[in-house]
Amino acid sequence: MSREELVAENYYSKDFDWEQLREEVESDPSLQFHLLPCSSEKIDNLNNDAEQDSGAWEEFHARHSTGKFFKERRYLLKEFPELASCKAYSKVLEVGCGNGSTALAILRGRESMVLYACDCSNEALVRAKEIIGAANSISDKHRFHPFQCDFSTTGFPSWLSCNICSNSLLQKHHLGFSGANSSYEINIVNPSCSDETTCCIGGVDFVTLIFTLSALPLDRMPKALAHCFAVLKPGGLLLFRDYGLYDMTMLRFQPEQRTGYREYLRSDGTRSYFFCLDTVRDLTSAAGFTELELEYCCVKSINRRNGKIMKRVWVHGKFQKPTCS
């Protein structure tokens, strides 16, 4: 499939009105428990174990080791066309790469793209490397660089963007210089990437958070977004997509699965948070991002087994790191 065909992949995001769905949910007595506050004691008991969270995802990916659980997310190139039209040798950091379903679409969409992909689960990274390695259509598998990292607790490794180079990039952009005029001498990953130095790769042009932030407790999200902000080059983009408020999967949770307001714990120990636009706006703004796009994607699909209509809600957003501070 060509890049043009991938970008043109049909994907509909306005099948129904979110406000109408909100009215339906909030007027349904059987769903009222989703709207109630959650006790602080319960939140404190469940939201402070990062190792347990990582372990739950490790077990999750081990159970779904065939990779069939996730499908390649070809729609991303339609939702985020910047990934297909960016400059040559642009660098992407995919946070929470799972088994590679997003990485595969990104690498196929731009032949010169360099992709760094992290996950807290080593099992997921093994699956991702297998899937990318088996994809014969990807021109250069050396463009894929997976590594293990829990960005919500430890942040990202300094080789992505050290403090000295981050400050240097900010100063260069403030003075009007581009990365192409840098005096860096040694390239770490690709000789065509002029922003790389002896100590780090000089930051990334894009950070993708695709159904990743919702897997964290709400109280760890601000720090996680601050880490994303730090590794982006000035002018770089954060591309965001995650579960939206009143998504069908939220309404399936039972009262005992609540761990906080709009926060839930699945039976396998993995977490899920459901975002409203204001929450995403507040979190990204506090981290320093400028909002470019933010909206609900409302998709109606039909369950082929039982014929039931499923109303899916996701939050789509694009945010930019300012070129100067």
Side-chain angles (χ1 to χ4, degrees):
M1 185 177 287
S2 69
R3 187 177 73 177
E4 290 75 15
E5 290 173 320
L6 284 168
V7 173
E9 183 84 9
N10 287 333
Y11 187 77
Y12 304 98
S13 60
K14 299 296 180 186
D15 289 343
F16 59 90
D17 181 65
W18 183 84
E19 284 293 338
Q20 183 176 350
L21 174 64
R22 180 187 65 80
E23 292 176 4
E24 293 173 2
V25 172
E26 295 181 0
S27 62
D28 188 335
S30 69
L31 300 176
Q32 289 303 298
F33 69 89
H34 292 289
L35 315 179
L36 300 175
C38 197
S39 69
S40 59
E41 181 179 356
K42 184 175 183 180
I43 294 173
D44 291 339
N45 289 338
L46 291 170
N47 282 359
N48 294 320
D49 196 338
E51 284 190 16
Q52 185 175 339
D53 292 343
S54 297
W57 284 109
E58 191 78 23
E59 293 176 6
F60 173 89
H61 287 289
R63 286 194 305 274
H64 300 287
S65 59
T66 62
K68 294 180 180 179
F69 189 81
F70 294 109
K71 295 181 179 179
E72 181 183 348
R73 290 168 171 158
R74 293 174 179 170
Y75 64 83
L76 286 179
L77 298 178
K78 180 176 177 64
E79 295 295 306
F80 302 116
E82 297 87 350
L83 292 172
S85 61
C86 60
K87 65 182 181 181
Y89 303 106
S90 291
K91 289 174 278 191
V92 179
L93 171 61
E94 187 195 353
V95 183
C97 65
N99 73 346
S101 57
T102 297
L104 192 58
I106 293 174
L107 289 169
R108 282 176 168 168
R110 188 73 168 115
E111 291 184 357
S112 63
M113 182 80 75
V114 179
L115 179 64
Y116 302 90
C118 69
D119 202 284
C120 66
S121 165
N122 184 64
E123 188 72 33
L125 295 172
V126 171
R127 300 282 84 74
K129 285 186 279 189
E130 290 176 352
I131 289 174
I132 299 300
N136 296 327
S137 61
I138 296 178
S139 59
D140 187 358
K141 299 177 179 65
H142 298 295
R143 296 184 289 120
F144 180 62
H145 305 278
F147 62 97
Q148 189 169 11
C149 173
D150 184 348
F151 79 119
S152 71
T153 56
T154 62
F156 298 110
S158 59
W159 57 259
L160 275 172
S161 181
C162 68
N163 291 335
I164 294 175
C165 291
S166 294
N167 293 334
S168 175
L169 280 168
L170 280 169
Q171 185 176 11
K172 283 196 303 175
H173 278 261
H174 182 65
L175 294 174
F177 296 107
S178 67
N181 294 323
S182 105
S183 59
Y184 300 149
E185 297 179 355
I186 299 178
N187 298 323
I188 295 175
V189 177
N190 191 302
S192 300
C193 300
S194 60
D195 287 339
E196 293 167 3
T197 73
T198 57
C199 56
C200 70
I201 65 169
V204 296
D205 302 286
F206 301 94
V207 170
T208 63
L209 277 177
I210 311 297
F211 299 102
T212 297
L213 198 63
S214 59
L216 304 178
L218 181 62
D219 61 358
R220 294 216 302 263
M221 292 182 191
K223 186 177 180 180
L225 284 169
H227 291 317
C228 293
F229 185 88
V231 297
L232 267 174
K233 297 177 185 179
L237 295 180
L238 170 68
L239 306 178
F240 179 86
R241 191 175 183 86
D242 219 320
Y243 297 108
L245 187 60
Y246 303 141
D247 176 58
M248 174 198 73
T249 58
M250 172 183 171
L251 304 181
R252 286 180 173 178
F253 281 109
Q254 299 302 309
E256 62 272 15
Q257 293 178 282
R258 298 182 72 216
T259 63
Y261 187 54
R262 300 173 183 169
E263 295 182 83
Y264 301 85
L265 191 69
R266 299 184 183 92
S267 58
D268 61 6
T270 60
R271 299 176 182 275
S272 189
Y273 182 88
F274 295 84
F275 293 96
C276 68
L277 300 187
D278 286 341
T279 298
V280 177
R281 182 174 289 120
D282 291 344
L283 286 167
T284 52
S285 176
F289 288 101
T290 299
E291 179 185 320
L292 301 181
E293 293 180 14
L294 184 60
E295 63 180 355
Y296 288 115
C297 294
C298 300
V299 178
K300 187 183 295 184
S301 59
I302 299 177
N303 188 312
R304 294 180 180 178
R305 288 182 296 178
N306 55 30
K308 289 186 177 181
I309 294 176
M310 301 180 292
K311 292 184 177 181
R312 305 306 310 271
V313 179
W314 301 298
V315 172
H316 162 96
K318 297 179 187 178
F319 308 90
Q320 187 171 41
K321 181 173 181 174
T323 56
C324 62
S325 60

